[in-house]
Amino acid sequence: MLLRGFALSMEAALLHAVDEMCDQAPMRNMVTPGGHRMSVGMTNCGDLGWISTPHGYRYASKDPESGNPWPAMPECFLQLAASAAQAAGFDGFRPDACLINCYEPGSRLTLHQDKNERDFAQPIVSVSLGMSAVFQFGGLKRSAPCGKLLLEHGDVVVWGREDRLRFHGVLPLKGEPHPRLGERRINLTFRKAG
Ligand code: MD3
Ligand code: FE
């Protein structure tokens, strides 16, 4: 379910929380099991954080760069994720992980499925901030044709049920810089991973 502008009223609180988080757990370009460095910068908050290492993808309770636990999930993140999930028919959603992606010119996310979470009955809530991006969503096979959706600052999407395991990706940024974030797009994905 697409909730256009759902996060707009919380913009200031969200961006402030992202800044604080990046002070504690800086954005980094992780290395994939295939040996490539990802073009999207990533960090996490919450009890669990998604990481890619040369050995595989997984959720970890500590930031491997510092050895510290990930920053705590801010209250405004939990509230936003729960209210968006509720609007899409998922009552009681309480994420334990938030992956924060940072796109700059040239960054892209190739088609993938999110399969490292324990329970696929739990939705994923995504929040787009900053520059717009074309989001691609396919089917349950990589080869299925893709639909495209322009995700803009403040948009929230709830991915659940039959859509939860769709292949999806993000094309490189195009268009105008964002007044507040410049040539950057920040995407928050809330997950119940454990
Ligand atoms: C559809 N992030 O972090 S958010 C990711 O814009 C990821 O940064 C993209 O894909 C981004 O894994 C897309 C929208 C999204 C997130 C999770 C999904 C769509 C999804 C899981 C299943 C199906
Ligand atoms: Fe994904």
Side-chain angles (χ1 to χ4, degrees):
M1 178 177 283
L2 172 58
L3 302 165
R4 287 260 186 229
F6 193 86
L8 275 182
S9 65
M10 300 174 62
E11 164 186 327
L14 295 173
L15 292 177
H16 180 74
V18 169
D19 279 345
E20 286 204 325
M21 205 159 297
C22 293
D23 292 342
Q24 296 175 65
M27 291 281 178
R28 78 292 307 267
N29 298 87
M30 300 185 196
V31 176
T32 66
H36 299 284
R37 199 167 276 281
M38 298 179 79
S39 60
V40 178
M42 297 181 174
T43 188
N44 292 277
C45 66
D47 290 339
L48 293 170
W50 184 87
I51 58 171
S52 175
T53 77
H55 310 289
Y57 308 121
R58 63 191 170 87
Y59 282 92
S61 57
K62 289 179 177 166
D63 178 350
E65 293 291 323
S66 65
N68 298 328
W70 298 104
M73 183 101 66
E75 200 56 41
C76 66
F77 278 28
L78 286 172
Q79 278 177 17
L80 173 62
S83 60
Q86 184 164 46
F90 295 93
D91 282 347
F93 180 56
R94 192 171 172 87
D96 56 12
C98 175
L99 173 63
I100 300 149
N101 293 335
C102 182
Y103 297 78
E104 291 178 337
S107 304
R108 67 187 183 122
L109 201 58
T110 55
L111 282 185
H112 66 277
Q113 288 174 299
D114 289 24
K115 291 202 297 192
N116 296 119
E117 301 75 24
R118 207 178 282 282
D119 179 5
F120 300 145
Q122 296 278 338
I124 293 182
V125 175
S126 94
V127 179
S128 294
L129 297 168
M131 272 183 80
S132 305
V134 176
F135 173 79
Q136 292 178 299
F137 59 98
L140 299 182
K141 292 181 176 176
R142 189 183 296 276
S143 58
C146 281
K148 286 182 181 174
L149 187 62
L150 187 69
L151 292 179
E152 298 178 292
H153 181 74
D155 290 348
V156 176
V157 193
V158 181
W159 299 90
R161 306 198 180 94
E162 65 269 35
D163 298 315
R164 175 63 183 76
L165 289 173
R166 283 183 190 270
F167 275 89
H168 57 279
V170 179
L171 299 182
L173 300 182
K174 275 199 295 195
E176 296 305 309
H178 185 265
R180 172 99 186 249
L181 285 163
E183 285 190 298
R184 271 193 304 161
R185 171 175 183 264
I186 304 276
N187 181 268
L188 314 175
T189 48
F190 295 98
R191 302 134 186 276
K192 175 79 179 73

